[in-house]
Amino acid sequence: MKDILTAPFMVEMIRTLTNMYDHGWDERNGGNVSLMLDEAEVGEYLDVGGAPLRDIPTGFAAPGLEGRYFLVTGTGKYFKNVRYAPEVNLGLVRIGAGGTRAQLLWGFSDGGSFTSEFPAHMMSHVARLSIDPANRVIMHCHPANLLAMTYVHTLDEREFTRTLWQMCTECIVVFPDGVNVLPWMLCGTNEIGEATAEKMKTARLVVWSQHGIYGAGKDLDETFGLIETAEKAAEIYMKIAHLPRLNTITDGQLRQLEARFGVTAREGYLD
């Protein structure tokens, strides 16, 4: 077997988590990421037919994910430490027993477990796979400007999205499906997981008010880029929200961007 620490998916996961921490999105043990893998790529590095190290209850049932493999961050783990001890801070699991158990194949070597948001991740994976079978990533973090925006901006999803689209020319190109928003909810529960998954059916970005954001994508780069773009737009908004706005990106200009880049804005979001 090849050394799993040299696997492209492992190298990219460590690089992404480090970058998220360096961006200030994941203070302390805040944030979590799960990356779905194919058995063939896992099989190059682990004996997928061998006995699991541990069998961990997931706290939910997702039969559609049975047999799927996930590289996932651990509960209580600090992203700043992942590059130094990936085998402690990350785990690779296979979903079994109708989605109610996770078989640990590698990682969490200190006896730890997957993130407390694991149910929310798995529910969101199910939701996104029903829309886009190529989806592989769910990413949760706490970008400061998006979080701040939920204190001073209406939480109406259309208005929230339109404000972000108006802040940067690239926004409607990067997330034409817009941004969905949840009111404050208790984190780490199946209730917030179910609500997030429902929102994931219509957008790849879901803001948790006064908390952070969930993003979904086909790979780590796409998902990171989605959040990075929305956060940049929120930063601009927070810098100008108290000032009179003399100029903006108009709906007509947003329509031009649709045509130029071959994207379609979410229905009903442009006048």
Side-chain angles (χ1 to χ4, degrees):
M1 293 287 175
K2 301 177 184 177
D3 181 1
I4 193 170
L5 295 181
T6 67
F9 59 80
M10 184 67 70
V11 172
E12 186 59 25
M13 179 69 123
I14 295 170
R15 182 182 295 129
T16 299
L17 296 174
T18 300
N19 206 3
M20 292 172 71
Y21 178 78
D22 289 345
H23 270 59
W25 296 354
D26 297 274
E27 72 292 335
R28 199 173 179 268
N29 63 320
N32 28 78
V33 178
S34 59
L35 168 65
M36 189 168 72
L37 301 167
D38 296 327
E39 184 173 289
E41 58 185 331
V42 175
E44 293 186 41
Y45 303 93
L46 297 174
D47 178 9
V48 296
L53 301 175
R54 278 186 281 139
D55 194 56
I56 310 169
T58 60
F60 69 104
L65 294 179
E66 186 163 8
R68 298 277 195 170
Y69 294 79
F70 292 92
L71 182 62
V72 60
T73 53
T75 184
K77 304 303 183 185
Y78 291 37
F79 280 16
K80 71 182 182 68
N81 295 330
V82 174
R83 76 184 96 175
Y84 306 113
E87 71 285 353
V88 173
N89 296 283
L90 299 172
L92 201 156
V93 301
R94 178 175 55 216
I95 305 299
T100 63
R101 312 288 295 187
Q103 300 162 347
L104 180 64
L105 305 181
W106 174 89
F108 300 145
S109 59
D110 63 347
S113 186
F114 43 68
T115 169
S116 62
E117 300 291 356
F118 197 58
H121 276 249
M122 297 298 102
M123 292 174 194
S124 289
H125 275 290
V126 171
R128 286 309 306 169
L129 287 168
S130 71
I131 304 299
D132 180 4
N135 190 85
R136 291 293 180 273
V137 176
I138 298 295
M139 183 179 290
H140 171 55
C141 55
H142 306 152
N145 293 287
L146 279 164
L147 196 160
M149 193 171 164
T150 65
Y151 285 90
V152 299
H153 192 285
T154 171
L155 300 183
D156 178 85
E157 291 170 340
R158 181 178 185 274
E159 293 307 312
F160 202 96
T161 293
R162 285 174 56 82
T163 293
L164 294 177
W165 282 350
Q166 291 166 358
M167 294 301 105
C168 296
T169 295
E170 67 176 347
C171 283
I172 195 171
V173 179
V174 175
F175 51 95
D177 47 344
V179 176
N180 284 338
V181 184
L182 285 174
W184 188 92
M185 297 180 68
L186 183 63
C187 57
T189 65
N190 284 1
E191 288 74 20
I192 197 170
E194 291 164 358
T196 303
E198 186 62 31
K199 295 289 188 183
M200 279 284 180
K201 294 177 181 178
T202 52
R204 293 165 297 156
L205 291 170
V206 180
V207 170
W208 284 8
S209 296
Q210 296 84 50
H211 184 140
I213 193 168
Y214 257 64
K218 298 175 183 177
D219 55 40
L220 290 163
D221 266 356
E222 179 188 53
T223 314
F224 183 96
L226 277 171
I227 295 173
E228 186 177 36
T229 305
E231 169 64 1
K232 179 66 171 288
E235 179 182 4
I236 294 169
Y237 172 76
M238 292 306 297
K239 287 180 176 179
I240 68 170
H242 64 293
L243 300 171
R245 193 185 302 187
L246 303 181
N247 305 292
T248 193
I249 302 173
T250 68
D251 280 34
Q253 291 166 338
L254 291 170
R255 292 289 189 195
Q256 290 181 52
L257 288 165
E258 278 187 298
R260 172 65 179 83
F261 291 96
V263 299
T264 302
R266 187 162 171 175
E267 186 176 357
Y269 275 38
L270 292 180
D271 292 332

